[in-house]
Amino acid sequence: DAGITQSPRYKITETGRQVTLMCHQTWSHSYMFWYRQDLGHGLRLIYYSAAADITDKGEVPDGYVVSRSKTENFPLTLESATRSQTSVYFCASRGGGGARNEQFFGPGTRLTVL
Amino acid sequence: DQQVKQNSPSLSVQEGRISILNCDYTNSMFDYFLWYKKYPAEGPTFLISISSIKDKNEDGRFTVFLNKSAKHLSLHIVPSQPGDSAVYFCAASVVNTGNQFYFGTGTSLTVIP
């Protein structure tokens, strides 16, 4: 399927467990992003990547790890999940050409940490 | 510290009338602004954008106005349609430093048929 996909769409885990959220895009976009959406905060950037093997922190990176070995994939790992990481997570991508280019968002992953 | 603020969590408008969604920002370095629309259980989708060199950008029923001195932008939807019912996020960025968009908290618009 063309576009940007996320898996799983829903995940329930327990405090202290490791969980990985997957993101895959088929456009060969250079840039990929991870956001979390929380009531009262809107969308906040966790990490982003400008190309394979290049990643950088966003606004709220603590407790998360990312990697980007292939252009099309950008997994987000919570190494030891906490209740405060219960949220809806969105992956996004955009092509080059500067920040004027719109970001395309995936459908989101709803994560609950018990 | 929220650099982009949407002070109205919700808005209800009659079908056919104008919807006005507002957004304020604090960082004077922002030079590019966007509006995204989000339906439940879906990711946000791009709606319209404006560069700081302009004060207005129009696309069909959607117009974005930018008042740099007031650090304020607004989205006008005319005429409003029931399918416009969604959450609207404004976002801002500094183009030259590149990659981070700062999003507001969103306004939930309901268009009443």
Side-chain angles (χ1 to χ4, degrees):
Chain A
D1 289 334
I4 183 164
T5 56
Q6 294 182 236
S7 61
R9 293 293 313 274
Y10 302 91
K11 176 76 176 177
I12 299 174
T13 191
E14 294 177 337
T15 301
R17 298 232 180 206
Q18 182 180 84
V19 60
T20 297
L21 310 183
M22 303 302 292
C23 178
H24 175 79
Q25 52 103 355
T26 60
W27 294 303
S28 298
H29 280 167
S30 302
Y31 289 88
M32 296 187 75
F33 306 83
W34 274 107
Y35 292 88
R36 58 179 290 175
Q37 183 193 2
D38 304 290
L39 263 176
H41 290 282
L43 290 155
R44 291 181 293 174
L45 183 66
I46 304 171
Y47 269 96
Y48 68 95
S49 168
D53 297 323
I54 301 174
T55 62
D56 209 346
K57 295 178 181 178
E59 198 178 345
V60 288
D62 293 342
Y64 302 95
V65 174
V66 293
S67 62
R68 193 157 175 218
S69 56
K70 292 185 177 181
T71 301
E72 60 267 29
N73 296 324
F74 191 38
L76 176 74
T77 297
L78 289 67
E79 292 192 305
S80 178
T82 64
R83 288 196 182 91
S84 65
Q85 293 177 308
T86 293
S87 186
V88 180
Y89 291 85
F90 290 100
C91 179
S93 72
R94 71 166 173 85
R100 287 192 177 85
N101 284 358
E102 65 175 283
Q103 294 184 11
F104 295 87
F105 283 82
T109 294
R110 182 174 293 275
L111 175 68
T112 302
V113 183
L114 301 176
Chain B
D1 185 28
Q2 197 83 19
Q3 296 191 57
V4 179
K5 298 177 184 178
Q6 294 175 257
N7 292 318
S8 298
S10 63
L11 175 68
S12 291
V13 171
Q14 288 287 122
E15 181 178 2
R17 299 288 187 107
I18 184 171
S19 295
I20 300 176
L21 294 91
N22 294 304
C23 180
D24 297 294
Y25 61 95
T26 57
N27 188 343
S28 58
M29 298 297 291
F30 288 146
D31 56 6
Y32 193 66
F33 305 88
L34 308 91
W35 285 93
Y36 276 82
K37 176 179 178 179
K38 184 184 177 306
Y39 292 118
E42 295 183 11
T45 55
F46 171 75
L47 191 57
I48 192 169
S49 63
I50 188 167
S51 168
S52 60
I53 62 172
K54 295 186 173 183
D55 54 20
K56 176 182 172 182
N57 188 28
E58 198 170 345
D59 183 2
R61 297 185 297 113
F62 302 92
T63 303
V64 56
F65 295 92
L66 176 62
N67 182 334
K68 289 188 291 293
S69 61
K71 295 192 183 70
H72 177 83
L73 66 156
S74 60
L75 174 69
H76 292 209
I77 306 173
V78 183
S80 301
Q81 299 173 353
D84 296 330
S85 297
V87 177
Y88 290 78
F89 291 97
C90 66
S93 71
V94 181
V95 171
N96 286 340
T97 60
N99 297 299
Q100 185 157 349
F101 285 2
Y102 294 86
F103 283 83
T105 51
T107 296
S108 178
L109 172 67
T110 302
V111 180
I112 304 162

